[in-house]
Amino acid sequence: MWKVLATPVPVGTATRIEKRLKSEGTKIAVVSQPVFVTDGCAIEDFNWPDRIVLGTDSPDAVLTLKQIYRPVVMRGVPVIVTNHETAEMVREASTAFLATKISFINELASLCESVSADAVDLALALGLDKKISPRCLQPGARFGGSFVEADMDSLAQLASGNGVSLKILSAAREVNRTLSDRIVEKISHAVESLAGKQVAILGLAFKPHTNSVAGSGSIAIAKHLMSEGAKVREYDPVAIKEAQAELSSAVCYCDSPYAAAEGGDALVVGTGWPEFRALDFEKIKGLLKRPLIVDTKNLLDAARLRAMGFQYVGVGRGSSVL
Amino acid sequence: MWKVLATPVPVGTATRIEKRLKSEGTKIAVVSQPVFVTDGCAIEDFNWPDRIVLGTDSPDAVLTLKQIYRPVVMRGVPVIVTNHETAEMVREASTAFLATKISFINELASLCESVSADAVDLALALGLDKKISPRCLQPGARFGGSFVEADMDSLAQLASGNGVSLKILSAAREVNRTLSDRIVEKISHAVESLAGKQVAILGLAFKPHTNSVAGSGSIAIAKHLMSEGAKVREYDPVAIKEAQAELSSAVCYCDSPYAAAEGGDALVVGTGWPEFRALDFEKIKGLLKRPLIVDTKNLLDAARLRAMGFQYVGVGRGSSVL
């Protein structure tokens, strides 16, 4: 007999279970298998995993699981067999690394703004380096998601509980926390003072193709804007109900991007929903009181919008390069 | 006419040159092209670049350079055209990211040692994530190389000069600086006190296939060991002359790994030269006074060495997994 533990569980769980089973004379092999499924891509992530990690010392359990995962293993997905503790750490470590990667490019984006470089081109050039990889390297307002904070909390607690300092992860989290402030500063700078101003925010989910708002940069920006006296009008294709639980009732939720834009002193793209690229920006220009777009995800075509007369502000695009 | 500037130059150089040429009435297109060539792999890096970055606003110059690089472009190597400032930042940013990646896994390696996880398996599982990539993710004593420190210094100066804080890079550099101390602590712990002890160090170059010792972890370990009163015997296939310029004359340089091991209280693998895997470890065991191997690069076969009676200490391998 054998039993598979799906993560997340604290590091050490499986070893403890195994010891207890053994002490009771029960012969069950325990396997720790971290699951890598991200919001909005769960089916693809399940069918095309980058690797399967099995934490166990039972060769029989490995054989059985390879049979179960045969369709995936036959596509060449590598299987890594390791001990429980390592398997239990993989997901949190992976999350922590990707958070660091995103914060790294976000810090460079700030520098790009100062020296007339373009963070989007820079990220492209960095990402093509085979030692780096292009994914999770887009400058933008913030990373989020309900698992991300929990994974990083758990890893940070494990480290501090063992007297180990994870300086890089701490720095990455600190950078992430302050990114929304930078966006609000940009808006504030453009409209002079936020008090009494009206800001439309398009997108509330922490990323497209999900209704999760946990750790969403959009929500952080909305809160910050309201604390400075601005009125906020919001639109999201699917995440309004979830946002209502997070935000004060002072927010006005709209049933279209155009309704959100009406009378606004600024329009903020808060989530990279692809449909926002296809909006009728002539119409939006007519609806806004001031043609200011702050694109926290570098989603839109800056050159086209500027040509249309918008004041366009992206992230890390301090240059003439569009 | 056009002129290609090979980096590294400070960000802003090409724009300044271009302005000056224009003010003098000279019509020359200026192209900034960062060169990505690493010690020990220069020919491969030149023939198989991950991408070609051209910083210019001259379409003619881009066409001409694509002709020059035709054999490479025809292999599918992407060409990124951007502005000068971005092109001037790519190499330093890339170096900074890879340094961060290495320091990240080195911090996790410390955590692995505390919780019986295996950093080598962990790095394998992380690296197979397509968002991460396996390269520059090996736990080990330190990253180095003459370009690395210079690139990071230059980027850090650019940032601080522009009032931008690069917190992640600072954390990564701090982690790197303290890694050799951890290795020396491990040796010291194993031999009780370092005073009067003799330590053999195999490898002086900062990485294999080069004689460069700039930023070498091996050199840092040697200095630290001597400051604690240990005697050091060193061997490297090619970098002894370079090391002599860095280290005090108290170091004894040997013409073979076996000569270095003779009478040693510990043997340290300081550089991942592949030939060290093929050493006659029975012979080494006979030569050492104490069969202790500290492998700062996780180069050797830990299971085999332990079976031979060695006390084997790796990096981040605090577990029973070998």
Side-chain angles (χ1 to χ4, degrees), chain A residues 50-51 82-83 85-86 101 107 115-116 118 121 125 128-131 133 165-168 174 321, chain B residues 50-51 82-83 85-86 94 101 107 115-116 118 121 125 128 130-131 133 165-168 174 321:
Chain A
D50 288 336
R51 72 294 200 209
T82 184
N83 71 354
E85 287 75 11
T86 310
K101 194 171 177 181
E107 278 203 319
V115 300
S116 299
D118 186 73
D121 284 355
L128 284 169
D129 187 326
K130 290 197 176 63
K131 301 187 279 297
S133 143
S165 168
L166 297 182
K167 294 190 183 74
I168 297 171
E174 197 190 327
V321 174
Chain B
D50 288 335
R51 72 294 201 210
T82 185
N83 69 356
E85 287 76 9
T86 310
S94 172
K101 194 171 176 181
E107 279 203 318
V115 299
S116 298
D118 186 73
D121 284 355
L128 284 169
K130 290 200 174 62
K131 302 188 277 299
S133 142
S165 167
L166 297 182
K167 294 189 182 75
I168 297 171
E174 197 190 326
V321 175

Side-chain angles (χ1 to χ4, degrees), chain A residues 102 105-106 109 138-143 179 183 296-298 315:
Chain A
I102 296 170
I105 195 68
N106 277 326
Q138 281 65 47
R142 204 164 138 150
F143 59 79
L179 285 173
I183 298 292
T296 73
K297 299 295 176 187
N298 292 325
V315 176

Side-chain angles (χ1 to χ4, degrees), chain B residues 58-134:
Chain B
S58 159
D60 288 347
V62 171
L63 276 179
T64 309
L65 278 160
K66 276 190 177 171
Q67 276 298 322
I68 291 174
Y69 284 110
R70 196 163 184 277
V72 175
V73 173
M74 288 301 288
R75 281 182 212 144
V77 172
V79 177
I80 300 173
V81 180
T82 185
N83 69 356
H84 288 303
E85 287 76 9
T86 310
E88 285 164 338
M89 267 182 78
V90 174
R91 206 185 86 160
E92 291 171 3
S94 172
T95 301
F97 183 79
L98 297 175
T100 302
K101 194 171 176 181
I102 295 171
S103 281
F104 181 90
I105 195 67
N106 277 326
E107 279 203 318
L108 282 190
S110 298
L111 182 53
C112 285
E113 290 177 0
S114 301
V115 299
S116 298
D118 186 73
V120 173
D121 284 355
L122 181 68
L124 178 63
L126 291 181
L128 284 169
D129 187 327
K130 290 200 174 62
K131 302 188 277 299
I132 299 179
S133 142

Side-chain angles (χ1 to χ4, degrees), chain A residues 27-282:
Chain A
K27 268 193 107 174
I28 299 181
V30 180
V31 180
S32 307
Q33 191 198 343
V35 176
F36 307 100
V37 174
T38 49
D39 293 89
C41 320
I43 294 171
E44 198 192 325
D45 286 343
F46 180 82
N47 283 328
W48 294 98
D50 288 336
R51 72 294 200 209
I52 293 171
V53 179
L54 304 176
T56 183
D57 54 10
S58 159
D60 288 346
V62 171
L63 276 178
T64 310
L65 278 161
K66 276 189 175 171
Q67 275 299 322
I68 292 174
Y69 284 109
R70 198 166 183 276
V72 176
V73 173
M74 287 301 289
R75 282 183 211 139
V77 172
V79 176
I80 300 173
V81 180
T82 184
N83 71 354
H84 288 303
E85 287 75 11
T86 310
E88 286 164 337
M89 268 182 78
V90 175
R91 208 186 84 161
E92 292 170 4
S94 171
T95 301
F97 183 79
L98 296 175
T100 302
K101 194 171 177 181
I102 296 170
S103 280
F104 181 90
I105 195 68
N106 277 326
E107 278 203 319
L108 282 190
S110 297
L111 181 54
C112 284
E113 291 177 1
S114 301
V115 300
S116 299
D118 186 73
V120 173
D121 284 355
L122 180 67
L124 177 63
L126 291 181
L128 284 169
D129 187 326
K130 290 197 176 63
K131 301 187 279 297
I132 298 179
S133 143
R135 292 172 65 181
C136 292
L137 199 66
Q138 281 65 47
R142 204 164 138 150
F143 59 79
S146 50
F147 292 124
V148 172
E149 289 296 329
D151 279 357
M152 292 193 300
D153 282 343
S154 166
L155 192 65
Q157 276 162 25
L158 181 71
S160 69
N162 282 281
V164 175
S165 168
L166 297 182
K167 294 190 183 74
I168 297 171
L169 180 60
S170 300
R173 299 187 80 176
E174 197 190 327
V175 170
N176 197 48
R177 274 190 292 271
T178 59
L179 285 173
S180 314
D181 301 344
R182 280 186 49 223
I183 298 292
V184 173
E185 264 168 45
K186 283 180 184 187
I187 305 169
S188 175
H189 181 79
V191 301
E192 277 135 49
S193 160
L194 283 167
K197 296 291 184 342
Q198 185 177 304
V199 179
I201 300 184
L202 301 190
L204 292 158
F206 85 91
K207 68 168 188 178
H209 312 299
T210 176
N211 62 356
S212 168
V213 298
S216 160
S218 236
I219 301 281
I221 291 167
K223 283 182 179 167
H224 194 148
L225 285 170
M226 287 190 290
S227 76
E228 305 244 338
K231 281 172 280 177
V232 172
R233 290 168 72 84
E234 305 246 21
Y235 168 76
D236 189 280
V238 297
I240 286 181
K241 214 181 75 190
E242 287 70 17
Q244 281 170 329
E246 287 284 318
L247 288 170
S248 89
S249 56
V251 173
C252 174
Y253 296 94
C254 307
D255 58 5
S256 82
Y258 307 105
E262 214 174 328
D265 295 280
L267 182 121
V268 175
V269 176
T271 310
W273 284 103
E275 63 198 76
F276 295 157
R277 280 185 222 263
L279 293 175
D280 179 347
F281 283 100
E282 281 299 351

Side-chain angles (χ1 to χ4, degrees), chain B residues 27-211:
Chain B
K27 268 192 107 178
I28 298 182
V30 180
V31 180
S32 307
Q33 190 196 346
V35 176
F36 307 99
V37 175
T38 48
D39 292 271
C41 321
I43 293 170
E44 198 192 325
D45 286 343
F46 181 81
N47 283 328
W48 294 99
D50 288 335
R51 72 294 201 210
I52 293 170
V53 179
L54 303 177
T56 183
D57 54 8
S58 159
D60 288 347
V62 171
L63 276 179
T64 309
L65 278 160
K66 276 190 177 171
Q67 276 298 322
I68 291 174
Y69 284 110
R70 196 163 184 277
V72 175
V73 173
M74 288 301 288
R75 281 182 212 144
V77 172
V79 177
I80 300 173
V81 180
T82 185
N83 69 356
H84 288 303
E85 287 76 9
T86 310
E88 285 164 338
M89 267 182 78
V90 174
R91 206 185 86 160
E92 291 171 3
S94 172
T95 301
F97 183 79
L98 297 175
T100 302
K101 194 171 176 181
I102 295 171
S103 281
F104 181 90
I105 195 67
N106 277 326
E107 279 203 318
L108 282 190
S110 298
L111 182 53
C112 285
E113 290 177 0
S114 301
V115 299
S116 298
D118 186 73
V120 173
D121 284 355
L122 181 68
L124 178 63
L126 291 181
L128 284 169
D129 187 327
K130 290 200 174 62
K131 302 188 277 299
I132 299 179
S133 142
R135 291 171 65 180
C136 293
L137 199 66
Q138 280 65 48
R142 206 164 138 150
F143 58 78
S146 49
F147 292 124
V148 172
E149 289 296 328
D151 279 358
M152 292 192 299
D153 281 343
S154 166
L155 192 64
Q157 276 163 24
L158 181 70
S160 69
N162 282 281
V164 175
S165 167
L166 297 182
K167 294 189 182 75
I168 297 171
L169 180 60
S170 300
R173 299 185 81 175
E174 197 190 326
V175 170
N176 196 50
R177 274 190 291 270
T178 59
L179 285 174
S180 315
D181 301 343
R182 280 187 47 225
I183 298 291
V184 173
E185 266 169 43
K186 283 181 184 187
I187 304 168
S188 175
H189 180 77
V191 301
E192 276 134 49
S193 160
L194 282 166
K197 297 290 185 338
Q198 185 177 307
V199 180
I201 300 184
L202 302 191
L204 293 159
F206 85 92
K207 68 169 189 177
H209 311 296
T210 176
N211 61 356

